[in-house]
Amino acid sequence: MLALRLTRVAHPAVQLRRLTVVAASAGTGFLLLCSLAYALGHPEESGAALLRLSWCVVPLTATVYLTVVVARTDPATRPRAALSALGLGPGRLMAVSAATTVLSCTAGSLLALLLFLHLRGDLTWLPFDGAASGFLAAGRRLPVPGALTLLAVVPVLASAAVAWSLRPREPRPAVRAAGTASPVRDEAPAAGPEDATVEAGPGAAAEAGCEAAPVDDADPHRPLPPRRPPAGLPWGVAVLAVGLTVEAYAGRSASRTALPGGLAADSAPVLAGWLLTALGLALAGPGLTHLCGRVLQAVRPGAVRLLAGRVLMEEAGRIGRPLGVVCAVASGAYAAVALSGGSAPSLGPLTALGGLLVAGCAVAALLTAAVEARQSRSATIAALRRLGAPATTLRSAAALRAGALLALFVPLTLAVAGLAALPLAR
């Protein structure tokens, strides 16, 4: 009931994000039902039916990823002190977010079922009923348990992923940096370790700071310790190399099976290689974004370069992973065009739907992360404007950030696409 109320009174922008989740869930559910219809219409081609079902993993993964991004940016599920006092702590808010995800994905699955039944001709009270009756095996009886099982895949996986992503974590206490003097307290023992540290000088304070226990400092004016750079860059490079290796193995394989878009290769290695490549780019995205921000600040930076680099380093974990996913989707699309001889590949309706679904989920996740990043630094922008920073400086920093990211990720996308298409073109 609480999830329904929060869904009803949410901001229009939040409702739009949830509608994108509903649309993505509907598209994925429709593709799963189409694979079931192909299996019903071609009972003798079980291998081809299994191949179509396996390729639904790609849009399913994209839908779950978009759902997690939307759930993490939902303002209604952010922990607050007032909500914790009412019994809505992080665990309860995580359950509310998972319930909201189940509602959105279930609505999308129901829309997919209605569209599927309408195109099969089972629902005759709307226009274009039975338009794809031959393609969707209208003469066969639809197994209700199998259809419901396929439709339940998206809500179950999406809610589980959201619950895992928003699970309560133990807060890490901020460790005071070495060499910083502790604030003077009114009530302190006359002779204690703190007084000895103050009397010994800054060197002893530095040694004491290295061995001091984590301090829970509630001073709002004390600057936060610097964040560590993302640690996923080496893992991302390793997973990317493994994915490209698997795709190279698929190109040398002797067994050939038709892939979506008219390509030909061993399906299982190609699918695994593309998924590993996308995972590697997603893992390496935050590290590459952080590195891009560090490069912007190198060699005596000015105000614009310093501001742009610091913002990229601060928001690397928020926008780096969606950038890596978009890079993976763009590299896959470029590889498909390169394999078709430079022209647009001849795609069927379901392949086009799957491609649009994956690309739409990646772009929607990136836009959602960008909007969240802009909202998170709104206080910083307001403070800079109060200090007299001109608007041209802020716009120049934003343009510099965008240009630096394009200069890094566009060549990376082309390189990964070329390496991925090279073994399949043989």
Side-chain angles (χ1 to χ4, degrees):
M1 185 61 67
L2 179 59
L4 287 174
R5 291 181 179 179
L6 291 177
T7 301
R8 183 174 57 87
V9 301
H11 193 270
V14 178
Q15 299 285 16
L16 181 61
R17 297 173 196 170
R18 291 172 180 169
L19 286 178
T20 58
V21 173
V22 172
S25 177
T28 305
F30 184 77
L31 290 176
L32 290 172
L33 291 177
C34 288
S35 64
L36 176 62
Y38 184 85
L40 292 175
H42 305 80
E44 68 282 354
E45 300 180 4
S46 58
L50 184 61
L51 173 65
R52 288 173 175 263
L53 183 61
S54 65
W55 274 99
C56 292
V57 174
V58 180
L60 176 61
T61 305
T63 302
V64 172
Y65 174 70
L66 175 63
T67 304
V68 171
V69 172
V70 171
R72 294 182 64 178
T73 57
D74 193 348
T77 57
R78 294 176 183 173
R80 297 180 180 89
L83 294 180
S84 298
L86 293 175
L88 294 176
R92 188 69 63 85
L93 290 178
M94 179 267 295
V96 171
S97 181
T100 305
T101 302
V102 169
L103 291 176
S104 301
C105 294
T106 303
S109 298
L110 292 179
L111 289 177
L113 179 61
L114 291 177
L115 179 62
F116 179 78
L117 295 177
H118 173 61
L119 293 179
R120 284 184 90 237
D122 296 335
L123 301 178
T124 58
W125 45 274
L126 289 174
F128 303 104
D129 56 317
S133 56
F135 181 74
L136 299 179
R140 302 276 184 172
R141 183 179 179 182
L142 184 67
V144 178
L148 294 180
T149 301
L150 290 177
L151 290 176
V153 169
V154 179
V156 170
L157 291 182
S159 60
V162 168
W164 175 261
S165 177
L166 300 181
R167 68 189 186 278
R169 298 179 177 89
E170 291 295 333
R172 296 181 179 179
V175 180
R176 186 171 298 163
T180 57
S182 60
V184 179
R185 299 183 181 180
D186 296 331
E187 299 179 2
E194 296 180 0
D195 297 333
T197 302
V198 174
E199 294 176 1
E207 295 178 0
C210 295
E211 299 178 358
V215 179
D216 188 10
D217 194 356
D219 186 7
H221 302 290
R222 180 175 296 276
L224 296 176
R227 292 186 179 180
R228 296 181 179 179
L233 183 57
W235 292 102
V237 174
V239 175
L240 177 61
V242 171
L244 293 176
T245 303
V246 172
E247 292 180 12
Y249 166 76
R252 296 179 181 179
S253 180
S255 60
R256 299 280 171 171
T257 310
L259 298 181
L263 306 179
D266 195 6
S267 176
V270 169
L271 178 59
W274 282 0
L275 290 178
L276 287 175
T277 301
L279 178 61
L281 289 173
L283 290 176
L288 292 175
T289 306
H290 188 275
L291 180 62
C292 186
R294 186 174 292 274
V295 169
L296 277 179
Q297 302 176 72
V299 192
R300 302 177 63 181
V304 176
R305 281 204 296 142
L306 185 62
L307 179 60
R310 289 296 176 88
V311 170
L312 282 181
M313 292 176 62
E314 182 70 19
E315 298 175 353
R318 182 179 287 114
I319 65 174
R321 188 165 288 112
L323 274 174
V325 173
V326 171
C327 180
V329 173
S331 63
Y334 184 82
V337 173
L339 290 174
S340 61
S343 59
S346 57
L347 303 177
L350 297 183
T351 305
L353 175 61
L356 290 177
L357 182 61
V358 172
C361 288
V363 174
L366 179 59
L367 293 178
T368 302
V371 170
E372 182 194 11
R374 181 175 178 82
Q375 292 176 353
S376 65
R377 64 174 183 267
S378 59
T380 304
I381 295 176
L384 290 174
R385 288 177 177 174
R386 286 196 303 268
L387 291 175
T392 55
T393 301
L394 301 178
R395 287 195 293 265
S396 300
L400 185 59
R401 291 196 304 270
L405 292 176
L406 288 176
L408 175 64
F409 280 95
V410 170
L412 178 63
T413 301
L414 297 178
V416 172
L419 292 175
L422 183 61
L424 299 178
R426 297 177 181 177

